């Protein structure tokens, strides 16, 4: 016979099981609703849960914009993948990326830029761009990138499931969403045989059964202007369901022949995202 505190503890744990099952079911229901908002059918969501990686085009609000979403099932628990995504640990799986630096909002960036393959003046320019963003957010970004990132944030429907999240990104650093975490990145990536230097800001809100991780690449030396990414993640059977929204802004798809350029560019972007997510899935299995 079970007696005393042990009996009480067991009873409490048993009482929690229906609550946990209900929370998991609610998270899955939200995941299905998010998937449908991006155009995935019930049958397609079932295929994704069985390993398919599927993509959908998204409406674009600028002649320089390429937008789409890729859905993937990953074999890792939600908490594990959310940590990988926020900390950028998947970047090590990409051989074209090097000199990755990650730091928190309250940490100094004084020594970050000296490790990049740039001379002192160029390092100072990158540091200045980071400091301007850290102090003034989107309004501190030179050129059109701030306005374009704002457009992408407003377009991303899944941000609406956490009222106030999009507003916190738009008004950063003035306001913050409760529980929002922040990471800043500086790294080098080989693109078309040339080095590109990237500065980005990732933010996240993590729950027990779901997580939202976003990224704003507010400075990219080449070949595009800026990029916004949203990882909307949900706990599902045996792993995590991710809707990966990618919005890239580039001058290369504007102007004459824009319709064809957008179609080809969007298809290539989504194919690259899908390939990267498949590679990440294989690496995370190890």
């Amino acid at each position: 016979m079970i007696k005393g505190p042990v009996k009480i503890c067991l009873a409490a744990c048993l009482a929690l099981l229906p609550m946990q099952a209900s929370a998991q079911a609610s998270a899955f229901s939200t995941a299905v609703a998010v998937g449908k908002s991006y155009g995935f059918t019930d049958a397609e969501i079932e295929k994704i849960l069985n390993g398919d990686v599927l993509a959908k085009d998204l409406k674009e609000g600028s002649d320089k914009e390429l937008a789409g979403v890729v859905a993937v099932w990953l074999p890792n628990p939600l908490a594990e993948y959310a940590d990988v995504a926020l900390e950028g640990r998947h970047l090590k799986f990409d051989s074209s990326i090097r000199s990755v630096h990650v730091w928190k909002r309250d940490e100094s960036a004084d020594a970050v830029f000296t490790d990049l393959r740039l001379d002192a003046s160029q390092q100072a320019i990158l540091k200045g761009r980071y400091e301007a963003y850290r102090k003034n957010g989107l309004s501190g970004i030179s050129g059109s990138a701030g306005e374009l990132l704002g457009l992408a944030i407003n377009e991303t429907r899944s941000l609406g499931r956490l009222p106030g999240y999009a507003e916190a990104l738009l008004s950063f650093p003035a306001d913050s969403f409760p529980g929002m975490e922040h990471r800043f990145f500086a790294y080098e990536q080989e693109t078309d045989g040339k080095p590109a230097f990237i500065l980005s800001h990732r933010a996240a809100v993590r729950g027990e059964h779901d997580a939202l991780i976003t990224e704003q690449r507010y400075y990219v030396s080449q070949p595009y202007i800026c990029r916004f990414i949203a990882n909307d993640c949900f706990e599902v059977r045996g792993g995590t369901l991710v809707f990966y929204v990618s919005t890239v802004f580039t001058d290369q798809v504007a102007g004459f022949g824009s319709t064809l350029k957008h179609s080809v560019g969007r298809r290539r972007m989504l194919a690259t995202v899908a390939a990267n997510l498949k590679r990440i899935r294989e690496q995370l299995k190890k």
Side-chain angles (χ1 to χ4, degrees):
M1 180 180 293
I2 301 175
K3 297 181 179 180
V6 175
K7 183 176 181 180
I8 294 172
C9 181
L10 179 59
C13 291
L14 291 174
L16 286 174
L17 289 177
M19 296 174 61
Q20 292 175 341
S22 177
Q24 290 171 341
S26 177
F28 183 73
S29 177
T30 302
V32 172
V34 169
K36 287 185 175 180
S37 76
Y38 284 125
F40 294 103
T41 65
D42 287 331
E44 287 174 325
I45 292 173
E46 187 64 28
K47 287 182 179 180
I48 294 161
L49 293 173
N50 285 314
D52 286 5
V53 178
L54 302 181
K56 297 287 184 179
D57 297 347
L58 295 179
K59 184 178 179 181
E60 297 158 352
S62 166
D63 64 348
K64 298 180 180 181
E65 180 180 3
L66 301 174
V69 56
V70 178
V72 62
W73 172 85
L74 300 172
N76 307 82
L78 170 73
E80 181 179 317
Y81 175 70
D83 197 49
V84 166
L86 177 60
E87 302 294 341
R89 293 175 186 160
H90 59 287
L91 296 178
K92 69 180 182 180
F93 303 149
D94 191 333
S95 60
S96 70
I97 294 176
R98 61 179 67 87
S99 300
V100 178
H101 295 272
V102 186
W103 65 102
K104 296 181 180 179
R105 187 173 183 175
D106 58 352
E107 293 177 334
S108 171
D110 287 346
V112 165
F113 300 94
T114 57
D115 191 43
L116 298 175
R117 295 190 304 172
L118 293 166
D119 60 35
S121 63
Q122 292 173 313
Q123 291 171 4
I125 290 172
L126 281 188
K127 184 179 179 182
R129 289 180 181 271
Y130 158 71
E131 291 174 341
Y133 176 81
R134 177 67 182 82
K135 182 179 179 180
N136 299 304
L138 297 183
S139 63
I141 303 172
S142 62
S144 62
E147 179 181 350
L148 295 174
L149 286 170
L151 172 64
I153 291 168
N154 283 317
E155 287 178 338
T156 305
R157 291 190 292 273
S158 60
L159 303 188
R161 75 177 184 84
L162 295 178
Y165 187 98
E167 290 76 8
L169 293 181
L170 292 169
S171 61
F172 175 86
D175 298 313
S176 187
F177 188 88
M180 181 179 276
E181 303 172 74
H182 299 271
R183 299 291 185 274
F184 296 96
F185 288 73
Y187 59 92
E188 178 184 345
Q189 183 170 21
E190 196 76 16
T191 304
D192 297 329
K194 299 178 182 179
F197 296 93
I198 297 170
L199 301 177
S200 74
H201 168 210
R202 295 191 187 190
V205 172
R206 297 189 267 186
E208 186 175 358
H209 302 291
D210 62 348
L212 180 60
I213 303 107
T214 55
E215 179 181 1
Q216 292 154 229
R217 296 185 188 173
Y218 58 91
Y219 173 76
V220 183
S221 61
Q222 64 94 22
Y224 54 90
I225 301 169
C226 59
R227 185 174 188 176
F228 180 75
I229 295 167
N231 277 271
D232 211 357
C233 314
F234 301 90
E235 181 181 76
V236 296
R237 59 180 185 248
T240 300
L241 175 61
V242 178
F243 295 101
Y244 186 103
V245 177
S246 177
T247 305
V248 175
F249 294 92
T250 172
D251 291 322
Q252 296 177 11
V253 297
F256 181 77
S258 178
T259 301
L260 178 59
K261 291 177 183 177
H262 275 253
S263 178
V264 173
R266 191 186 311 112
R267 185 169 63 250
R268 288 177 177 172
M269 178 191 73
L270 291 174
T272 299
V273 170
N276 287 340
L277 289 172
K278 289 177 182 177
R279 183 176 66 247
I280 289 170
R281 181 165 64 185
E282 292 305 310
Q283 292 290 338
L284 291 177
K285 286 180 181 178
K286 297 179 179 179

